[in-house]
Amino acid sequence: MKKYVMFFAVGTSVALVAGCDSVDDETPAGYTSFADIEVDADAMQALYTDANGNLITGITPATALEIPDTGNATYNGFVAGEVAGSRLIGELTVTTFFDPGLGSITSSATNFYHENDGAYTGTLNGTGVLDQTATVPQISTNLDGDLTNGGVVYDTSIALEGDIIANGSDPIGAVAGFADGSLDSGGSSETFTGVFAAER
């Protein structure tokens, strides 16, 4: 997996993202600009990983004993990456369904903003696997769907790989890791290389 160095402007506060309705080809609800979403996304990400998606010192994956065998948890946050030299950030929701062996994951991302091109409409959805006995990664899920900007539709696929980690005193209070994929349109393809972080 290629790793690209990206620099984050870390804000002073972290906003937990509430679920927002979004309809394809309409202006997304919630954040209204790249500048706004960037501050909160970078602040949350900096709590858990470096710019390449590696867990920072003091942050370690939850152990199998810390991860429940039943129930579920929903995490809200951001997925952010570089596309053709510029950043694209969206709001992310990851729900983990716990099981003693292999659990499952559902994921979605919407309300994307590009630092130069503004809002991308559309929603990406995915499923995945939670392997609480794995060393790394514990969680894997693919986000797929269409994003539209400037009348151009991008067939988008972003793979998330990361871990369940602590958020303060909650040993399974967050998820974070790498995000890699592509945006394809009209026979051309741009890579998406970045990170994700979300908290419950």
Side-chain angles (χ1 to χ4, degrees), residues 87-106:
R87 297 186 71 198
L88 179 66
I89 302 174
E91 296 181 56
L92 173 69
T93 299
V94 174
T95 300
T96 55
F97 297 88
F98 301 116
D99 186 273
L102 290 178
S104 61
I105 292 172
T106 61

Side-chain angles (χ1 to χ4, degrees), residues 3 44-62 135-139 161-166 174-178 195-197:
K3 297 179 183 177
M44 183 181 290
Q45 194 73 46
L47 295 174
Y48 305 109
T49 79
D50 63 19
N52 293 315
N54 300 302
L55 297 180
I56 61 175
T57 301
I59 302 294
T60 57
T135 305
V136 286
Q138 292 171 329
I139 60 174
E161 289 192 353
D163 299 290
I164 298 177
I165 52 182
V175 294
F178 304 97
V195 291
F196 74 95

Side-chain angles (χ1 to χ4, degrees), residues 99-114:
D99 186 273
L102 290 178
S104 61
I105 292 172
T106 61
S107 56
S108 66
T110 192
N111 201 18
F112 280 87
Y113 280 90
H114 187 271

Side-chain angles (χ1 to χ4, degrees), residues 8-200:
F8 295 108
V10 178
T12 57
S13 64
V14 176
L16 294 180
V17 182
C20 299
D21 294 333
S22 177
V23 179
D24 289 358
D25 300 322
E26 294 182 5
T27 301
Y31 291 98
T32 58
S33 71
F34 176 83
D36 288 341
I37 197 171
E38 181 185 39
V39 170
D40 289 345
D42 290 353
M44 183 181 290
Q45 194 73 46
L47 295 174
Y48 305 109
T49 79
D50 63 19
N52 293 315
N54 300 302
L55 297 180
I56 61 175
T57 301
I59 302 294
T60 57
T63 66
L65 291 177
E66 292 171 326
I67 300 174
D69 289 339
T70 60
N72 61 76
T74 297
Y75 301 86
N76 295 301
F78 307 91
V79 55
E82 191 170 297
V83 180
S86 300
R87 297 186 71 198
L88 179 66
I89 302 174
E91 296 181 56
L92 173 69
T93 299
V94 174
T95 300
T96 55
F97 297 88
F98 301 116
D99 186 273
L102 290 178
S104 61
I105 292 172
T106 61
S107 56
S108 66
T110 192
N111 201 18
F112 280 87
Y113 280 90
H114 187 271
E115 67 176 309
N116 298 322
D117 300 331
Y120 276 56
T121 59
T123 299
L124 309 179
N125 293 294
T127 58
V129 175
L130 162 63
D131 185 353
Q132 66 187 56
T133 65
T135 305
V136 286
Q138 292 171 329
I139 60 174
S140 299
T141 183
N142 261 35
L143 295 164
D144 297 292
D146 290 337
L147 297 178
T148 302
N149 177 267
V152 178
V153 178
Y154 297 90
D155 180 10
T156 304
S157 181
I158 301 173
L160 308 182
E161 289 192 353
D163 299 290
I164 298 177
I165 52 182
N167 174 17
S169 61
D170 184 350
I172 61 165
V175 294
F178 304 97
D180 291 294
S182 63
L183 282 75
D184 302 330
S185 178
S188 65
S189 179
E190 297 288 353
T191 60
F192 179 101
T193 304
V195 291
F196 74 95
E199 299 173 335
R200 72 172 182 163

